[in-house]
Amino acid sequence: MNIVGIVDNHSASVAMVKDGELLAAHQEERPTRLKNKGGFPAAALKDLVVSTGIELADVDLFTFSTNYYLYPGLESRNDVFSMYDLAFDRDVPGRSDKASRKGSDERGIKEQQADRASKLISLGVPKDKIIFVEHHTCHAAAAYYGMANFDDDILVFTCDGQGDQSSATAWLGSKGKMEQFLSVDKGHSLGQIYTYITYLLGLVPLEHEYKLMGLAPYAEESKGANEVKKIIQKYFVFDNEGDPKWRRSATDILGHSAAPQLARDLEFRRFDEIAGGVQLFIEETVVHWIERLINLTGAKKVALSGGVFMNVKLNKLIMEMPQIEELFIFPSCGDESNSIGAAWYTSQQHRFVKEEFTGIGPLYLGSTPSDDDIELAIEKFAFTSKVQIKRVDNIEQQCAQILAEGGIVGRFSGRGEFGARALGNRSILADPRKWATVHRINRAIKMRDFWMPFAPAIRQEDAEKLFVNKDKFHAPYMVMAFDTTAEGQLHMPAAVHPNDQTCRPQVVQREFNPNFHELLTAFADLTGYGAVLNTSFNLHGEPLVETPTDALDVFNRSGLDVLAIGSWLISKDK
């Protein structure tokens, strides 16, 4: 059975599942070149047909990942900003009309679903092939079927801003089935508070929350950060009886009504202390929630999904909880991954065969340009400066040599990765041994905020030497922060958070990505360790490159030294 999952609001995406096996997943931002592009993913759907070879007529079911969008039509940053302008009662020149972002009346569910389905029907899809799945069910399914442990009882948590009626849920997974036993109403959202503060600090809500997380370690131990934490904690209480969950402490701070009060409470506070305080709040609250439910259920194997669990510092604390025996976090677990969860859940509902649900595996789910495609793109591209182009047989060894000599390399190889993290195939790589590398990359290419750390890609054979992973957490997806060892701090200072000395690694297994593993092995032969600085192949504010032309364009417009694209090395004349 072929099933397509669809996210058609913020961070639009599509995924194809065939008899439980995930074949491909694409995000609308990549072909449109608009970061976090929302709306119906028409371009991504076309890419999905190409990458799988399965035509729309051969798809058995199309499943939308959310029953009902309270704020539909979040297609751009302006749309997202205007929703938060409305929450804070602000008029900002140049933004789309904030009145148009008012929440939809939930009595119009059927009308909204009919409008969303019409996009598929216009492509020739019969109406009876279209279904809708509740938002947090999709998050939970991504976590449970991504983990693919059907022999044990699995405690599944979801937590985000809001979706359908909920902002957090808890489930028990057993023998391939999931049963929800707890839900926190959308009006009591934790994730929403984090996003409000992202907006208040002048960053992009639903996108730049990770910047607060990166800033937090600089202030978390300060008096001001603890004061901010206590301010936010007053907005919430845990129920002492009944369901072990939290709620907003007063009816006048439910949902978006909390926004103006939060602005007043945090006015004139230092920006770094605000970041530190909200991070402390989210860590303490979520860890306490998970601890309560482990004690209630007795289940000690845990799976997580939803945007709150994109917070790698929080995930580190969850991993370190002594009650947890096994932990799985779905990679890139924001709303973009709900296309995968929707397709998996629908597949299970119609036909569950344990052996067909093999888990998430490598996250290389995008397009795979051929060498001919790459060669044609190079021939057609109009470089604005002189370049040297050569085809080489040992591209990975050549890249390792360039990196060891201090060069910065854009790597475009094989199949594109899905989600928010670059995992080597659409990455910018550099030598992590010198702190000056950070300044070079930021000045020439990334233009990142000065406090934001870079991350390493580490060969599996070197992982134990460079960071602390006592519980052997499976870490190929950059969803977890770890403490680094003395060796790690010495060898890769440019890929370690300079304040708390943690790193967010991609551990590269040979079986997940043999070519990237070969590059890291060659780098280890030259430097002693198979670890490089790995950041996404894009310019700041743009999506990850997807096609050969995208890669050539970023190389041409940036200060990249070398582009390794397929079997070609392209360098700029100096």
Side-chain angles (χ1 to χ4, degrees), residues 497-569:
H497 197 294
N499 193 73
D500 64 12
Q501 298 297 300
T502 60
C503 70
R504 175 176 51 87
Q506 175 199 2
V507 176
V508 181
Q509 304 165 239
R510 186 187 301 273
E511 57 269 30
F512 268 36
N513 194 329
N515 290 336
F516 194 29
H517 187 275
E518 180 185 346
L519 185 155
L520 294 173
T521 298
F523 191 74
D525 291 340
L526 294 168
T527 67
Y529 293 92
V532 299
L533 184 152
N534 173 19
T535 188
S536 56
F537 195 167
N538 65 298
L539 295 176
H540 189 66
E542 297 182 6
L544 207 65
V545 300
E546 179 72 10
T547 68
T549 300
D550 296 337
L552 292 164
D553 177 55
V554 171
F555 172 72
N556 187 58
R557 289 189 290 132
S558 71
L560 267 175
D561 298 324
V562 175
L563 172 61
I565 179 167
S567 300
W568 282 265
L569 274 178

Side-chain angles (χ1 to χ4, degrees), residues 466-483:
L466 300 175
F467 66 89
V468 180
N469 188 8
K470 294 178 181 177
D471 296 321
K472 309 298 181 186
F473 181 83
H474 184 54
Y477 307 119
M478 290 186 165
V479 295
M480 179 71 69
F482 295 87
D483 294 321

Side-chain angles (χ1 to χ4, degrees), residues 313-434:
K313 282 173 52 59
L314 167 64
N315 295 344
K316 178 178 184 290
L317 295 180
I318 296 170
M319 176 187 67
E320 293 169 351
M321 292 175 65
Q323 302 93 332
I324 293 179
E325 294 178 353
E326 183 180 345
L327 177 65
F328 172 78
I329 304 166
F330 193 82
S332 196
C333 55
D335 284 358
E336 68 278 354
S337 64
N338 269 356
S339 58
I340 298 172
W344 265 338
Y345 180 77
T346 304
S347 183
Q348 179 275 328
Q349 290 291 97
H350 286 80
R351 178 176 178 268
F352 178 75
V353 179
K354 179 179 177 180
E355 290 71 25
E356 292 176 350
F357 287 79
T358 55
I360 187 62
L363 210 62
Y364 306 104
L365 300 168
S367 61
T368 316
S370 67
D371 262 5
D372 288 344
D373 294 329
I374 293 171
E375 186 172 22
L376 183 61
I378 293 171
E379 290 175 355
K380 288 185 174 182
F381 193 83
F383 293 97
T384 56
S385 59
K386 289 185 178 180
V387 298
Q388 298 293 323
I389 303 172
K390 60 179 179 179
R391 188 167 188 168
V392 296
D393 294 327
N394 55 345
I395 189 78
E396 311 302 352
Q397 288 82 2
Q398 292 268 350
C399 284
Q401 185 68 48
I402 294 166
L403 293 171
E405 293 171 356
I408 300 173
V409 176
R411 184 173 188 267
F412 183 99
S413 177
R415 194 171 187 185
E417 45 266 69
F418 175 85
R421 308 293 186 221
L423 299 174
N425 283 3
R426 305 289 186 272
S427 288
I428 293 171
L429 308 177
D431 188 338
R433 293 176 294 172
K434 296 179 180 179

